[in-house]
Amino acid sequence: MYIEYRNGVVVVLEKHRLFFDHANVRGDGLRLVSHAHSDHTPTRLYSDTVMTPETREIASVVRPLLGEPNLKRINEIIRMDSVKIKLLNAGHVLGSSQFFVESSYGSMLYTGDINTYDTVISKHADIIESDVLVVEATYGSPSYSFPPREEVYGGIVRWILECIKNGQIPAFKTYSIGKSQEIIKLINSATKLPVVTGPTVSKVCEVYGRCGIRLDFIPAKKREGMEVLNRGECVYVDSVRGTLPVEKPVKWALATGWALKYRFNNYDRAFPLSSHADFRGIVDFIQQVNPRKVYTIHGYTETLAKELRKRGVDAIPLD
Ligand SMILES: [Zn+2]
């Protein structure tokens, strides 16, 4: 097996080439796309581009996609001669998948972005034993240890209620894919407040709804959305921070794992809510996968590899 990082992970197995999250790669091979975030999804899709139907749906409402991919569901298997590839849940956003590859070289797991914790809207990443592991290292430094999710959820709900009590509109700027829907689901289950959404967040929420995840939200572009905003007893969720045409004061919060380390002075609050695993989550995950070789990609690749070597795991950064 040959592996390298070239704008994405490239793996060569016998006569087959596998491209993982490789933006608009040219050449023959199977293109495996783990999820709909734009740094992982190409804009040109081919019959040998593999992704879940949810990833296709979400990606296409966020930006125009050309071509039709080969749609595979979580737990489906692709066979090419003696190579077998299974899609596994990654727990990161709707439709996100890991790829588990078995061949005459043994097994390899490519995680893409993973969340190793359950959320109000998703199940934690599947775990499977594998000889080789290619794992993301976004928060792969011991300085990133997220508080229990229930604690973060509690902080978000308390802040929302406090804003409402003070006559302010609580607003969240957060990723349109994944995090927005988690926050909306949390507000739907913990409060009776209506949620008004910005344009991209609304489109992604509609895809979640079509895929069976019910979210109560009102797009701001609808007359009802503006009326609710003007009344003021609501929460606003958007992927960009703009000026809302309302009289009541608006308080802005961020929801990001980076809130653990950085100060966001232009925001009233920042909550450490992430769709990725933190350091402990990644290390626990790796120990359960029990690989003989680990390649780290994205983020704290050097730090995570070093921490793994300290724990007796053979690990090196790939990018
Ligand atoms: Zn992602």
Side-chain angles (χ1 to χ4, degrees):
M1 184 181 100
Y2 171 79
I3 183 166
E4 69 165 343
Y5 192 91
R6 204 173 359 109
N7 296 323
V9 174
V10 183
V11 170
V12 182
L13 292 170
E14 300 158 19
K15 57 181 181 180
H16 299 290
R17 281 203 298 174
L18 307 178
F19 302 106
F20 295 91
D21 290 333
H22 202 299
N24 295 319
V25 64
R26 289 171 192 275
D28 290 336
L30 199 64
R31 301 142 216 268
L32 299 135
V33 179
S34 66
H35 67 286
H37 282 148
S38 57
D39 51 339
H40 293 257
T41 315
T43 48
R44 184 76 179 87
L45 309 179
Y46 302 91
S47 57
D48 53 11
T49 306
V50 175
M51 58 175 64
T52 62
E54 296 88 348
T55 295
R56 165 81 171 95
E57 276 260 319
I58 298 171
S60 63
V61 299
V62 175
R63 59 196 182 134
L65 297 181
L66 278 174
E68 277 307 315
N70 181 0
L71 299 176
K72 295 285 175 198
R73 294 192 176 276
I74 300 293
N75 291 325
E76 263 198 81
I77 290 170
I78 304 160
R79 288 175 201 276
M80 296 183 308
D81 305 321
S82 60
V83 178
K84 193 172 124 184
I85 305 167
K86 185 172 184 182
L87 283 73
L88 297 172
N89 174 39
H92 177 58
V93 299
L94 180 66
S96 61
S97 76
Q98 309 178 72
F99 295 103
F100 181 57
V101 183
E102 290 172 284
S103 71
S104 54
Y105 294 95
S107 55
M108 187 201 93
L109 180 65
Y110 172 87
T111 63
D113 289 351
I114 47 166
N115 188 358
T116 53
Y117 304 106
D118 287 344
T119 79
V120 284
I121 204 163
S122 56
K123 289 291 289 175
H124 64 79
D126 290 336
I127 298 168
I128 193 162
E129 289 209 7
S130 179
D131 301 324
V132 175
L133 173 65
V134 181
V135 67
E136 66 128 330
T138 306
Y139 293 112
S141 156
S143 54
Y144 286 95
S145 173
F146 300 144
R149 217 163 191 89
E150 294 69 30
E151 212 174 275
V152 182
Y153 285 163
I156 290 175
V157 172
R158 277 195 300 277
W159 179 75
I160 288 172
L161 297 178
E162 198 182 293
C163 290
I164 299 289
K165 201 175 85 190
N166 295 335
Q168 301 151 338
I169 299 178
F172 289 85
K173 178 201 173 291
T174 190
Y175 287 129
S176 57
I177 304 170
K179 199 86 65 65
S180 296
Q181 291 71 34
E182 182 180 359
I183 290 173
I184 293 168
K185 191 75 178 173
L186 171 68
I187 300 164
N188 289 167
S189 17
T191 80
K192 290 195 173 0
L193 293 165
V195 182
V196 181
T197 46
T200 315
V201 171
S202 305
K203 285 193 227 164
V204 178
C205 286
E206 280 159 16
V207 178
Y208 270 63
R210 288 200 290 277
C211 295
I213 298 178
R214 194 200 145 105
L215 298 166
D216 289 322
F217 64 98
I218 311 163
K221 68 172 188 190
K222 288 192 175 172
R223 196 206 292 175
E224 189 197 350
M226 282 320 298
E227 283 169 3
V228 170
L229 270 177
N230 277 315
R231 280 203 298 276
E233 292 230 330
C234 64
V235 186
Y236 184 70
V237 180
D238 204 340
S239 54
V240 290
R241 179 178 171 160
T243 307
L244 295 180
V246 290
E247 280 177 20
K248 283 198 176 182
V250 180
K251 292 283 176 185
W252 280 92
L254 271 179
T256 170
W258 304 114
L260 278 185
K261 200 162 183 179
Y262 300 103
R263 292 204 171 279
F264 296 95
N265 292 329
N266 296 332
Y267 287 84
D268 299 291
R269 285 295 294 270
F271 296 100
L273 187 73
S274 179
S275 304
H276 292 264
D278 62 358
F279 177 73
R280 198 186 47 211
I282 297 178
V283 171
D284 285 352
F285 176 87
I286 294 168
Q287 283 171 341
Q288 291 179 78
V289 172
N290 193 23
R292 55 174 174 73
K293 181 84 188 179
V294 176
Y295 297 100
T296 56
I297 55 168
H298 304 317
Y300 286 97
T301 51
E302 292 277 357
T303 311
L304 180 59
K306 201 167 128 202
E307 290 292 331
L308 290 170
R309 290 197 298 273
K310 273 198 226 166
R311 290 161 174 80
V313 181
D314 180 3
I316 54 165
L318 192 61
D319 62 354

